[in-house]
Amino acid sequence: MGHSNKTRLALLAAVLTTIVVLALSLLLPGPIGLWAGILIGANGIAVLFARHVVHRREQAELRKAMEEQRAAKTAEPVAEQPVATSEPEQPTHVQYPVSAVPLPSSEVDYRFLFSATVCWRQTSPKTAVPHASPGDLAVHWILTRARELTVLEKPEDYRVVQHRLAVALGTALAEPYGHVVAWAVDVSLAMSDEDAKRLDRLAEMRKHERMWEQERRIEIAMRRYLSEDVFKDTGSAVIWWVSRHTDQIEESVQMIGHLAQLTAAANSKEIPGPDLLRAIQASENGRHINGSAQDL
């Protein structure tokens, strides 16, 4: 603690002593000279006590600083040794190409042709019972995983299935016995040329079949319309003709006989003979003439 701090502490002690003495003089009346002497003596004692306290504190701090310096000089620095962090080396993998391996599709008669590069590594070199042919085991594991996916897919979708296989087989998985971990890259899926041509031909045939079925449905609807509505009877046939030839009334009258024949044929009835047709035609003509005369 510095000299200014000592002075401030001494002044603080003198002020507090003065306050205490003045308070006592008010409570205990007496001669002023007596209280003045008490005040001077008390202030002196307070100042000396404050300086003694400050001195003791300074000595304690000085001894503490000297002990710390002595300890720092005698202590030998210990060099920190870097901790060796040796990461376990990842075991290297082996690559084995496979080409045009048949895999089943959802259609019994069509197979995919699977090609890829099979990558594998042994799970542990200290396996108690190592496999005699880990490479074949890795290939078998990849083909098993691929077969589980392709057997559900349509053969004509082989281009889309190829990408699904690449995603599924790109994950390194351990085979069930735990000997190897395998995955596949450069995955390719194809169909034989003959099967591809057959699939294209079948696709064309399905398109034609759907078109023929649609045309057939339209034809059936038209036949039902003609037999049940248009040629239900001669009157319906005449109305149908007139509705389509509203500007040909004279020709419509002349078509009655032909429409009667068509109606009879459409309903598997006896077709009217020529005499009956002429009678029908004359009757219709007479009606037409009388109707025209009445209009005049």
CSV table of all heavy atoms in Angstrom, one decimal, residues 8-70:
chain,number,residue,atom,x,y,z
A,8,ARG,N,-4.6,8.6,3.7
A,8,ARG,CA,-6.1,8.6,3.7
A,8,ARG,C,-6.6,7.8,4.9
A,8,ARG,O,-7.6,8.1,5.5
A,8,ARG,CB,-6.6,8.0,2.4
A,8,ARG,CG,-6.5,9.0,1.2
A,8,ARG,CD,-7.3,8.5,0.1
A,8,ARG,NE,-6.8,7.3,-0.5
A,8,ARG,CZ,-6.0,7.2,-1.5
A,8,ARG,NH1,-5.5,8.4,-2.0
A,8,ARG,NH2,-5.6,6.1,-1.9
A,9,LEU,N,-5.9,6.6,5.2
A,9,LEU,CA,-6.4,5.8,6.3
A,9,LEU,C,-6.2,6.5,7.6
A,9,LEU,O,-7.1,6.4,8.5
A,9,LEU,CB,-5.6,4.5,6.3
A,9,LEU,CG,-6.1,3.4,7.3
A,9,LEU,CD1,-7.6,3.1,7.1
A,9,LEU,CD2,-5.2,2.2,7.2
A,10,ALA,N,-5.1,7.3,7.8
A,10,ALA,CA,-4.9,8.0,9.1
A,10,ALA,C,-5.9,9.1,9.2
A,10,ALA,O,-6.5,9.3,10.3
A,10,ALA,CB,-3.5,8.6,9.1
A,11,LEU,N,-6.3,9.8,8.1
A,11,LEU,CA,-7.3,10.9,8.2
A,11,LEU,C,-8.6,10.3,8.5
A,11,LEU,O,-9.4,10.8,9.3
A,11,LEU,CB,-7.3,11.6,6.9
A,11,LEU,CG,-6.1,12.5,6.6
A,11,LEU,CD1,-6.3,13.2,5.2
A,11,LEU,CD2,-6.0,13.7,7.6
A,12,LEU,N,-8.9,9.1,7.9
A,12,LEU,CA,-10.2,8.5,8.2
A,12,LEU,C,-10.3,8.1,9.7
A,12,LEU,O,-11.4,8.3,10.3
A,12,LEU,CB,-10.4,7.3,7.3
A,12,LEU,CG,-11.7,6.5,7.5
A,12,LEU,CD1,-12.9,7.3,7.2
A,12,LEU,CD2,-11.7,5.2,6.6
A,13,ALA,N,-9.2,7.6,10.2
A,13,ALA,CA,-9.2,7.2,11.7
A,13,ALA,C,-9.4,8.4,12.5
A,13,ALA,O,-10.1,8.4,13.5
A,13,ALA,CB,-7.9,6.4,12.0
A,14,ALA,N,-8.7,9.6,12.2
A,14,ALA,CA,-8.9,10.8,13.0
A,14,ALA,C,-10.3,11.3,13.0
A,14,ALA,O,-10.8,11.8,14.0
A,14,ALA,CB,-7.9,11.8,12.5
A,15,VAL,N,-10.9,11.3,11.8
A,15,VAL,CA,-12.3,11.8,11.6
A,15,VAL,C,-13.2,11.0,12.5
A,15,VAL,O,-14.1,11.5,13.2
A,15,VAL,CB,-12.7,11.8,10.2
A,15,VAL,CG1,-14.2,12.1,10.0
A,15,VAL,CG2,-11.9,12.9,9.4
A,16,LEU,N,-13.1,9.6,12.4
A,16,LEU,CA,-14.0,8.8,13.1
A,16,LEU,C,-13.8,9.0,14.6
A,16,LEU,O,-14.8,9.0,15.4
A,16,LEU,CB,-13.7,7.3,12.8
A,16,LEU,CG,-14.1,6.9,11.3
A,16,LEU,CD1,-13.7,5.5,11.0
A,16,LEU,CD2,-15.6,7.1,11.1
A,17,THR,N,-12.5,9.1,15.1
A,17,THR,CA,-12.3,9.3,16.5
A,17,THR,C,-12.9,10.7,17.0
A,17,THR,O,-13.5,10.8,18.1
A,17,THR,CB,-10.8,9.3,16.8
A,17,THR,OG1,-10.2,8.1,16.3
A,17,THR,CG2,-10.4,9.5,18.2
A,18,THR,N,-12.7,11.7,16.2
A,18,THR,CA,-13.3,13.0,16.5
A,18,THR,C,-14.8,12.9,16.7
A,18,THR,O,-15.4,13.5,17.6
A,18,THR,CB,-12.9,14.1,15.5
A,18,THR,OG1,-11.5,14.1,15.3
A,18,THR,CG2,-13.4,15.4,15.8
A,19,ILE,N,-15.4,12.2,15.7
A,19,ILE,CA,-16.9,12.1,15.8
A,19,ILE,C,-17.3,11.4,17.1
A,19,ILE,O,-18.3,11.8,17.8
A,19,ILE,CB,-17.4,11.4,14.6
A,19,ILE,CG1,-17.2,12.2,13.3
A,19,ILE,CG2,-18.9,11.0,14.7
A,19,ILE,CD1,-17.5,11.5,12.0
A,20,VAL,N,-16.6,10.3,17.4
A,20,VAL,CA,-16.9,9.5,18.6
A,20,VAL,C,-16.7,10.4,19.9
A,20,VAL,O,-17.6,10.4,20.8
A,20,VAL,CB,-16.1,8.3,18.7
A,20,VAL,CG1,-16.3,7.6,20.0
A,20,VAL,CG2,-16.4,7.3,17.5
A,21,VAL,N,-15.6,11.2,20.0
A,21,VAL,CA,-15.4,12.0,21.2
A,21,VAL,C,-16.4,13.1,21.3
A,21,VAL,O,-16.9,13.4,22.4
A,21,VAL,CB,-13.9,12.6,21.1
A,21,VAL,CG1,-13.7,13.6,22.2
A,21,VAL,CG2,-12.9,11.4,21.2
A,22,LEU,N,-16.8,13.7,20.2
A,22,LEU,CA,-17.8,14.8,20.2
A,22,LEU,C,-19.1,14.2,20.7
A,22,LEU,O,-19.9,14.8,21.4
A,22,LEU,CB,-17.9,15.4,18.9
A,22,LEU,CG,-16.7,16.3,18.4
A,22,LEU,CD1,-16.9,16.8,17.0
A,22,LEU,CD2,-16.5,17.5,19.4
A,23,ALA,N,-19.4,13.0,20.2
A,23,ALA,CA,-20.7,12.4,20.6
A,23,ALA,C,-20.7,12.1,22.1
A,23,ALA,O,-21.7,12.3,22.8
A,23,ALA,CB,-20.9,11.1,19.8
A,24,LEU,N,-19.6,11.6,22.6
A,24,LEU,CA,-19.5,11.4,24.1
A,24,LEU,C,-19.5,12.6,24.9
A,24,LEU,O,-20.1,12.7,26.0
A,24,LEU,CB,-18.2,10.6,24.4
A,24,LEU,CG,-18.1,9.2,23.8
A,24,LEU,CD1,-16.7,8.6,24.1
A,24,LEU,CD2,-19.2,8.3,24.5
A,25,SER,N,-18.9,13.8,24.4
A,25,SER,CA,-19.0,15.0,25.1
A,25,SER,C,-20.4,15.6,25.2
A,25,SER,O,-20.7,16.3,26.2
A,25,SER,CB,-18.1,16.1,24.4
A,25,SER,OG,-18.6,16.4,23.2
A,26,LEU,N,-21.2,15.3,24.3
A,26,LEU,CA,-22.6,15.7,24.3
A,26,LEU,C,-23.4,14.9,25.3
A,26,LEU,O,-24.3,15.4,26.0
A,26,LEU,CB,-23.3,15.7,23.0
A,26,LEU,CG,-22.7,16.6,21.9
A,26,LEU,CD1,-23.3,16.4,20.5
A,26,LEU,CD2,-22.9,18.1,22.3
A,27,LEU,N,-23.1,13.6,25.4
A,27,LEU,CA,-23.8,12.8,26.3
A,27,LEU,C,-23.3,12.9,27.8
A,27,LEU,O,-24.1,12.8,28.7
A,27,LEU,CB,-23.6,11.3,25.9
A,27,LEU,CG,-24.3,10.9,24.5
A,27,LEU,CD1,-23.9,9.5,24.2
A,27,LEU,CD2,-25.8,11.1,24.6
A,28,LEU,N,-22.0,13.2,27.9
A,28,LEU,CA,-21.4,13.3,29.3
A,28,LEU,C,-20.8,14.7,29.4
A,28,LEU,O,-19.6,15.0,29.1
A,28,LEU,CB,-20.3,12.3,29.5
A,28,LEU,CG,-20.8,10.8,29.3
A,28,LEU,CD1,-19.5,9.9,29.4
A,28,LEU,CD2,-21.8,10.4,30.4
A,29,PRO,N,-21.6,15.7,29.9
A,29,PRO,CA,-21.0,17.1,30.0
A,29,PRO,C,-19.8,17.1,30.9
A,29,PRO,O,-19.8,16.4,32.0
A,29,PRO,CB,-22.2,17.9,30.6
A,29,PRO,CG,-23.4,17.0,30.3
A,29,PRO,CD,-23.0,15.6,30.3
A,30,GLY,N,-18.9,18.0,30.6
A,30,GLY,CA,-17.7,18.2,31.4
A,30,GLY,C,-16.9,19.4,30.9
A,30,GLY,O,-17.3,20.0,30.0
A,31,PRO,N,-15.8,19.6,31.5
A,31,PRO,CA,-15.0,20.8,31.1
A,31,PRO,C,-14.5,20.6,29.7
A,31,PRO,O,-14.1,19.5,29.3
A,31,PRO,CB,-13.8,20.8,32.1
A,31,PRO,CG,-14.3,20.0,33.3
A,31,PRO,CD,-15.2,19.0,32.7
A,32,ILE,N,-14.4,21.8,29.0
A,32,ILE,CA,-14.0,21.7,27.6
A,32,ILE,C,-12.6,21.3,27.5
A,32,ILE,O,-12.2,20.6,26.6
A,32,ILE,CB,-14.2,23.1,27.0
A,32,ILE,CG1,-15.8,23.4,27.0
A,32,ILE,CG2,-13.7,23.1,25.5
A,32,ILE,CD1,-16.1,24.8,26.4
A,33,GLY,N,-11.7,21.8,28.4
A,33,GLY,CA,-10.3,21.4,28.3
A,33,GLY,C,-10.1,19.9,28.5
A,33,GLY,O,-9.2,19.4,27.8
A,34,LEU,N,-10.9,19.3,29.3
A,34,LEU,CA,-10.8,17.9,29.5
A,34,LEU,C,-11.1,17.1,28.2
A,34,LEU,O,-10.4,16.2,27.7
A,34,LEU,CB,-11.7,17.4,30.6
A,34,LEU,CG,-11.8,15.9,30.8
A,34,LEU,CD1,-10.4,15.3,31.2
A,34,LEU,CD2,-12.8,15.5,31.9
A,35,TRP,N,-12.2,17.5,27.6
A,35,TRP,CA,-12.6,16.8,26.3
A,35,TRP,C,-11.7,17.2,25.2
A,35,TRP,O,-11.4,16.3,24.3
A,35,TRP,CB,-14.1,17.3,25.9
A,35,TRP,CG,-15.1,16.6,26.8
A,35,TRP,CD1,-15.9,17.2,27.7
A,35,TRP,CD2,-15.4,15.2,26.8
A,35,TRP,NE1,-16.7,16.3,28.4
A,35,TRP,CE2,-16.4,15.0,27.8
A,35,TRP,CE3,-15.0,14.1,26.1
A,35,TRP,CZ2,-17.0,13.8,28.1
A,35,TRP,CZ3,-15.5,12.9,26.4
A,35,TRP,CH2,-16.5,12.7,27.4
A,36,ALA,N,-11.0,18.4,25.2
A,36,ALA,CA,-10.0,18.7,24.2
A,36,ALA,C,-8.8,17.8,24.3
A,36,ALA,O,-8.3,17.3,23.3
A,36,ALA,CB,-9.6,20.2,24.3
A,37,GLY,N,-8.4,17.6,25.6
A,37,GLY,CA,-7.2,16.7,25.8
A,37,GLY,C,-7.6,15.3,25.4
A,37,GLY,O,-6.7,14.6,24.8
A,38,ILE,N,-8.8,14.8,25.7
A,38,ILE,CA,-9.2,13.5,25.3
A,38,ILE,C,-9.2,13.3,23.8
A,38,ILE,O,-8.8,12.3,23.2
A,38,ILE,CB,-10.6,13.1,25.9
A,38,ILE,CG1,-10.5,13.0,27.4
A,38,ILE,CG2,-11.1,11.8,25.3
A,38,ILE,CD1,-11.8,12.9,28.1
A,39,LEU,N,-9.7,14.4,23.1
A,39,LEU,CA,-9.8,14.4,21.6
A,39,LEU,C,-8.4,14.3,21.0
A,39,LEU,O,-8.2,13.5,20.1
A,39,LEU,CB,-10.5,15.6,21.1
A,39,LEU,CG,-10.6,15.8,19.6
A,39,LEU,CD1,-11.4,14.6,19.0
A,39,LEU,CD2,-11.3,17.1,19.3
A,40,ILE,N,-7.5,15.1,21.5
A,40,ILE,CA,-6.1,15.0,21.0
A,40,ILE,C,-5.5,13.7,21.2
A,40,ILE,O,-4.8,13.1,20.3
A,40,ILE,CB,-5.2,16.2,21.6
A,40,ILE,CG1,-5.8,17.5,21.1
A,40,ILE,CG2,-3.8,16.0,21.2
A,40,ILE,CD1,-5.2,18.7,21.8
A,41,GLY,N,-5.6,13.2,22.4
A,41,GLY,CA,-5.0,11.9,22.7
A,41,GLY,C,-5.6,10.8,21.9
A,41,GLY,O,-4.9,9.9,21.4
A,42,ALA,N,-6.9,10.8,21.8
A,42,ALA,CA,-7.6,9.7,21.0
A,42,ALA,C,-7.2,9.8,19.5
A,42,ALA,O,-7.0,8.7,18.9
A,42,ALA,CB,-9.1,9.9,21.1
A,43,ASN,N,-7.1,11.0,19.0
A,43,ASN,CA,-6.7,11.1,17.6
A,43,ASN,C,-5.3,10.5,17.4
A,43,ASN,O,-5.0,9.9,16.4
A,43,ASN,CB,-6.8,12.5,17.1
A,43,ASN,CG,-8.2,13.0,16.8
A,43,ASN,OD1,-9.1,12.1,16.5
A,43,ASN,ND2,-8.5,14.3,17.0
A,44,GLY,N,-4.4,10.9,18.3
A,44,GLY,CA,-3.0,10.4,18.2
A,44,GLY,C,-3.0,8.8,18.2
A,44,GLY,O,-2.3,8.2,17.4
A,45,ILE,N,-3.7,8.3,19.2
A,45,ILE,CA,-3.8,6.8,19.3
A,45,ILE,C,-4.3,6.2,18.0
A,45,ILE,O,-3.9,5.2,17.5
A,45,ILE,CB,-4.6,6.4,20.5
A,45,ILE,CG1,-3.8,6.8,21.8
A,45,ILE,CG2,-4.8,4.9,20.5
A,45,ILE,CD1,-4.6,6.7,23.0
A,46,ALA,N,-5.4,6.8,17.5
A,46,ALA,CA,-6.1,6.2,16.3
A,46,ALA,C,-5.1,6.3,15.1
A,46,ALA,O,-5.1,5.3,14.3
A,46,ALA,CB,-7.4,7.0,16.0
A,47,VAL,N,-4.4,7.4,14.9
A,47,VAL,CA,-3.5,7.5,13.8
A,47,VAL,C,-2.4,6.5,13.9
A,47,VAL,O,-2.0,5.8,12.9
A,47,VAL,CB,-2.9,9.0,13.7
A,47,VAL,CG1,-1.8,9.1,12.7
A,47,VAL,CG2,-4.0,9.9,13.3
A,48,LEU,N,-1.8,6.4,15.1
A,48,LEU,CA,-0.7,5.4,15.3
A,48,LEU,C,-1.2,3.9,15.0
A,48,LEU,O,-0.5,3.1,14.4
A,48,LEU,CB,-0.2,5.5,16.7
A,48,LEU,CG,0.6,6.8,17.0
A,48,LEU,CD1,1.0,6.8,18.5
A,48,LEU,CD2,1.9,6.8,16.2
A,49,PHE,N,-2.4,3.7,15.5
A,49,PHE,CA,-3.0,2.3,15.3
A,49,PHE,C,-3.2,2.0,13.8
A,49,PHE,O,-2.9,1.0,13.3
A,49,PHE,CB,-4.3,2.2,16.0
A,49,PHE,CG,-4.9,0.8,15.9
A,49,PHE,CD1,-4.5,-0.3,16.6
A,49,PHE,CD2,-6.0,0.6,15.0
A,49,PHE,CE1,-5.0,-1.5,16.5
A,49,PHE,CE2,-6.6,-0.6,14.9
A,49,PHE,CZ,-6.1,-1.7,15.6
A,50,ALA,N,-3.7,3.1,13.1
A,50,ALA,CA,-3.9,2.9,11.6
A,50,ALA,C,-2.6,2.7,10.9
A,50,ALA,O,-2.5,1.8,10.0
A,50,ALA,CB,-4.7,4.1,11.1
A,51,ARG,N,-1.6,3.4,11.2
A,51,ARG,CA,-0.3,3.3,10.6
A,51,ARG,C,0.3,1.9,10.9
A,51,ARG,O,0.9,1.2,10.1
A,51,ARG,CB,0.7,4.3,11.0
A,51,ARG,CG,0.4,5.7,10.4
A,51,ARG,CD,1.4,6.8,10.9
A,51,ARG,NE,1.2,8.0,10.3
A,51,ARG,CZ,1.7,8.3,9.1
A,51,ARG,NH1,2.4,7.5,8.4
A,51,ARG,NH2,1.4,9.5,8.5
A,52,HIS,N,0.1,1.4,12.1
A,52,HIS,CA,0.6,0.1,12.5
A,52,HIS,C,-0.1,-1.0,11.7
A,52,HIS,O,0.5,-2.0,11.2
A,52,HIS,CB,0.3,-0.1,14.0
A,52,HIS,CG,0.8,-1.5,14.5
A,52,HIS,ND1,2.1,-1.9,14.6
A,52,HIS,CD2,0.1,-2.6,14.8
A,52,HIS,CE1,2.2,-3.1,15.0
A,52,HIS,NE2,1.0,-3.6,15.2
A,53,VAL,N,-1.4,-0.9,11.5
A,53,VAL,CA,-2.2,-1.9,10.7
A,53,VAL,C,-1.7,-1.9,9.3
A,53,VAL,O,-1.5,-2.9,8.7
A,53,VAL,CB,-3.7,-1.6,10.8
A,53,VAL,CG1,-4.5,-2.4,9.8
A,53,VAL,CG2,-4.2,-1.8,12.2
A,54,VAL,N,-1.5,-0.6,8.7
A,54,VAL,CA,-1.0,-0.6,7.3
A,54,VAL,C,0.4,-1.2,7.2
A,54,VAL,O,0.7,-1.9,6.2
A,54,VAL,CB,-1.1,0.9,6.9
A,54,VAL,CG1,-0.4,1.0,5.5
A,54,VAL,CG2,-2.5,1.4,6.8
A,55,HIS,N,1.2,-0.9,8.2
A,55,HIS,CA,2.6,-1.4,8.1
A,55,HIS,C,2.6,-3.0,8.2
A,55,HIS,O,3.3,-3.6,7.4
A,55,HIS,CB,3.4,-0.8,9.3
A,55,HIS,CG,4.8,-1.3,9.3
A,55,HIS,ND1,5.7,-0.9,8.4
A,55,HIS,CD2,5.4,-2.2,10.2
A,55,HIS,CE1,6.9,-1.5,8.7
A,55,HIS,NE2,6.7,-2.3,9.7
A,56,ARG,N,1.7,-3.5,9.0
A,56,ARG,CA,1.7,-5.0,9.1
A,56,ARG,C,1.2,-5.6,7.8
A,56,ARG,O,1.7,-6.6,7.4
A,56,ARG,CB,0.7,-5.4,10.3
A,56,ARG,CG,1.2,-5.1,11.7
A,56,ARG,CD,2.2,-6.1,12.1
A,56,ARG,NE,1.6,-7.4,12.2
A,56,ARG,CZ,0.9,-7.9,13.2
A,56,ARG,NH1,0.7,-7.2,14.3
A,56,ARG,NH2,0.4,-9.2,13.2
A,57,ARG,N,0.2,-4.9,7.2
A,57,ARG,CA,-0.3,-5.5,5.9
A,57,ARG,C,0.8,-5.4,4.9
A,57,ARG,O,0.9,-6.3,4.0
A,57,ARG,CB,-1.6,-4.7,5.5
A,57,ARG,CG,-2.3,-5.2,4.3
A,57,ARG,CD,-3.5,-4.5,4.0
A,57,ARG,NE,-4.5,-4.6,5.1
A,57,ARG,CZ,-5.6,-3.9,5.2
A,57,ARG,NH1,-5.9,-3.1,4.2
A,57,ARG,NH2,-6.4,-4.1,6.2
A,58,GLU,N,1.5,-4.3,4.8
A,58,GLU,CA,2.6,-4.1,3.8
A,58,GLU,C,3.6,-5.2,4.0
A,58,GLU,O,4.2,-5.8,3.0
A,58,GLU,CB,3.2,-2.8,3.9
A,58,GLU,CG,2.3,-1.7,3.4
A,58,GLU,CD,2.9,-0.3,3.5
A,58,GLU,OE1,3.9,-0.2,4.2
A,58,GLU,OE2,2.4,0.7,2.9
A,59,GLN,N,4.0,-5.5,5.2
A,59,GLN,CA,5.0,-6.5,5.5
A,59,GLN,C,4.5,-7.9,5.0
A,59,GLN,O,5.3,-8.7,4.5
A,59,GLN,CB,5.4,-6.5,7.0
A,59,GLN,CG,6.1,-5.3,7.5
A,59,GLN,CD,7.4,-5.1,6.8
A,59,GLN,OE1,8.2,-6.1,6.6
A,59,GLN,NE2,7.8,-3.9,6.6
A,60,ALA,N,3.3,-8.2,5.3
A,60,ALA,CA,2.8,-9.5,4.9
A,60,ALA,C,2.8,-9.6,3.4
A,60,ALA,O,3.1,-10.6,2.8
A,60,ALA,CB,1.4,-9.6,5.4
A,61,GLU,N,2.4,-8.5,2.7
A,61,GLU,CA,2.4,-8.6,1.2
A,61,GLU,C,3.8,-8.7,0.7
A,61,GLU,O,4.0,-9.4,-0.3
A,61,GLU,CB,1.7,-7.3,0.6
A,61,GLU,CG,0.2,-7.3,0.9
A,61,GLU,CD,-0.5,-6.0,0.4
A,61,GLU,OE1,0.3,-5.1,-0.1
A,61,GLU,OE2,-1.7,-5.9,0.4
A,62,LEU,N,4.7,-8.0,1.3
A,62,LEU,CA,6.1,-8.1,0.8
A,62,LEU,C,6.7,-9.5,1.0
A,62,LEU,O,7.4,-10.1,0.1
A,62,LEU,CB,7.0,-7.1,1.6
A,62,LEU,CG,8.5,-7.0,1.2
A,62,LEU,CD1,8.6,-6.7,-0.3
A,62,LEU,CD2,9.2,-6.0,2.1
A,63,ARG,N,6.4,-10.2,2.2
A,63,ARG,CA,6.9,-11.5,2.4
A,63,ARG,C,6.3,-12.5,1.4
A,63,ARG,O,6.9,-13.4,0.9
A,63,ARG,CB,6.5,-12.0,3.8
A,63,ARG,CG,7.5,-11.4,4.9
A,63,ARG,CD,7.3,-12.1,6.2
A,63,ARG,NE,5.9,-12.0,6.7
A,63,ARG,CZ,5.5,-11.0,7.5
A,63,ARG,NH1,6.3,-10.0,7.9
A,63,ARG,NH2,4.3,-11.0,8.0
A,64,LYS,N,5.0,-12.3,1.1
A,64,LYS,CA,4.3,-13.2,0.1
A,64,LYS,C,5.0,-13.0,-1.3
A,64,LYS,O,5.2,-14.0,-2.0
A,64,LYS,CB,2.9,-12.8,0.0
A,64,LYS,CG,2.1,-13.7,-0.9
A,64,LYS,CD,0.6,-13.4,-0.8
A,64,LYS,CE,-0.2,-14.3,-1.8
A,64,LYS,NZ,-1.7,-13.9,-1.8
A,65,ALA,N,5.3,-11.8,-1.7
A,65,ALA,CA,5.9,-11.6,-3.0
A,65,ALA,C,7.3,-12.2,-3.1
A,65,ALA,O,7.7,-12.8,-4.1
A,65,ALA,CB,5.9,-10.1,-3.3
A,66,MET,N,8.1,-12.1,-2.0
A,66,MET,CA,9.4,-12.6,-2.0
A,66,MET,C,9.4,-14.2,-2.0
A,66,MET,O,10.2,-14.8,-2.7
A,66,MET,CB,10.1,-12.2,-0.7
A,66,MET,CG,10.5,-10.7,-0.7
A,66,MET,SD,11.3,-10.1,0.8
A,66,MET,CE,12.8,-11.0,0.6
A,67,GLU,N,8.4,-14.8,-1.3
A,67,GLU,CA,8.3,-16.2,-1.4
A,67,GLU,C,7.9,-16.7,-2.8
A,67,GLU,O,8.4,-17.7,-3.2
A,67,GLU,CB,7.2,-16.7,-0.4
A,67,GLU,CG,7.7,-16.5,1.1
A,67,GLU,CD,6.6,-16.9,2.1
A,67,GLU,OE1,5.5,-17.2,1.6
A,67,GLU,OE2,6.8,-16.8,3.3
A,68,GLU,N,7.0,-16.0,-3.4
A,68,GLU,CA,6.6,-16.4,-4.8
A,68,GLU,C,7.8,-16.3,-5.7
A,68,GLU,O,8.0,-17.1,-6.6
A,68,GLU,CB,5.5,-15.5,-5.3
A,68,GLU,CG,4.2,-15.8,-4.6
A,68,GLU,CD,3.1,-14.8,-5.0
A,68,GLU,OE1,3.4,-13.9,-5.8
A,68,GLU,OE2,1.9,-15.1,-4.6
A,69,GLN,N,8.6,-15.2,-5.6
A,69,GLN,CA,9.8,-15.1,-6.5
A,69,GLN,C,10.8,-16.2,-6.2
A,69,GLN,O,11.4,-16.7,-7.1
A,69,GLN,CB,10.5,-13.7,-6.2
A,69,GLN,CG,9.6,-12.5,-6.7
A,69,GLN,CD,10.3,-11.2,-6.5
A,69,GLN,OE1,11.4,-11.1,-5.9
A,69,GLN,NE2,9.6,-10.1,-6.9
A,70,ARG,N,11.0,-16.5,-4.9
A,70,ARG,CA,12.0,-17.6,-4.6
A,70,ARG,C,11.5,-18.9,-5.1
A,70,ARG,O,12.3,-19.7,-5.6
A,70,ARG,CB,12.1,-17.7,-3.0
A,70,ARG,CG,13.3,-18.6,-2.6
A,70,ARG,CD,13.3,-18.6,-1.1
A,70,ARG,NE,13.6,-17.3,-0.5
A,70,ARG,CZ,12.7,-16.7,0.2
A,70,ARG,NH1,11.5,-17.2,0.4
A,70,ARG,NH2,13.0,-15.5,0.7
